């Protein structure tokens, strides 16, 4: 509960600091983000999901092991795309004093790691399910 209250306090502080600036620009960005998400990105999510399901012909529990890492990777790309695609490296380097050349490679590593973890989790779930079925069948056969 304390962690949640702390996050609300931090969000409120960030909002106050943010809204000291350009109110109209922020409101326009928020409304634009909602419209772009609902009218552009959401249909693209649906089409991509249907395409993956049609190509892989996988049952629903299995397809979630593709959906989740793809969603997280896409979210990271959406948030960090100016640096991943090297749109504004000079601004980042001037502000932080750090190189912006690492974002593309790190995003690829994180994406690969997400898919690897998801595949490992699928293997664990599949093995656990087989082990549980085998154990139940042995127990049912016992007198």
């Amino acid at each position: 509960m304390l962690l949640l209250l702390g996050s609300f306090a931090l969000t409120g502080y960030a909002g106050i600091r943010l809204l000291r600036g350009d109110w109209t620009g922020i409101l326009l960005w928020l409304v634009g983000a909602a419209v772009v998400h609902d009218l552009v990105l959401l249909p693209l999510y649906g089409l991509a999901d249907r395409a993956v399901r049609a190509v892989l012909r996988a049952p629903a529990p299995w397809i979630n092991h593709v959906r989740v890492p793809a969603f997280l990777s896409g979210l990271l790309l959406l948030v960090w795309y100016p640096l991943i695609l090297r749109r504004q490296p000079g601004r980042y380097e001037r502000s932080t004093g750090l190189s912006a050349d690492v974002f593309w490679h790190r995003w690829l590593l994180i994406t690969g790691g997400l898919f690897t973890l998801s595949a490992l989790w699928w293997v664990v779930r599949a093995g656990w399910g087989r082990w549980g079925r085998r154990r139940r069948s042995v127990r049912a056969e016992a007198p």
Side-chain angles (χ1 to χ4, degrees):
M1 184 67 167
L2 289 175
L3 186 61
L4 183 63
L5 290 174
S7 70
F8 284 147
L10 182 63
T11 303
Y13 172 74
I16 289 170
R17 293 280 311 260
L18 183 67
L19 292 177
R20 284 187 191 162
D22 183 20
W23 279 76
T24 56
I26 293 167
L27 290 175
L28 181 65
W29 185 87
L30 288 173
V31 171
V35 169
V36 166
H37 176 267
D38 292 348
L39 296 179
V40 176
L41 295 178
L42 194 60
L44 288 176
Y45 302 155
L47 287 173
D49 185 57
R50 285 181 185 230
V52 168
R53 285 176 48 198
V55 168
L56 298 179
R57 301 257 184 236
W62 186 87
I63 199 72
N64 287 334
H65 291 278
V66 175
R67 285 178 183 158
V68 171
F71 169 75
L72 292 174
S73 177
L75 183 63
L76 287 173
L77 179 63
L78 183 66
V79 170
W80 295 100
Y81 81 91
L83 293 171
I84 291 171
L85 301 178
R86 299 177 190 211
R87 298 284 182 183
Q88 297 178 344
R91 185 175 178 186
Y92 175 79
E93 290 169 355
R94 283 191 305 274
S95 298
T96 64
L98 302 171
S99 174
D101 294 334
V102 298
F103 283 92
W104 171 253
H105 305 313
R106 289 183 181 170
W107 177 73
L108 286 176
L109 283 173
I110 290 170
T111 299
L114 287 169
F115 277 97
T116 301
L117 284 173
S118 184
L120 289 173
W121 183 247
W122 177 73
V123 167
V124 166
R125 281 184 62 196
W128 185 262
R130 285 190 197 118
W131 180 76
R133 282 192 301 271
R134 186 175 348 127
R135 191 169 164 200
R136 282 191 297 269
S137 69
V138 167
R139 202 180 301 157
E141 291 174 4

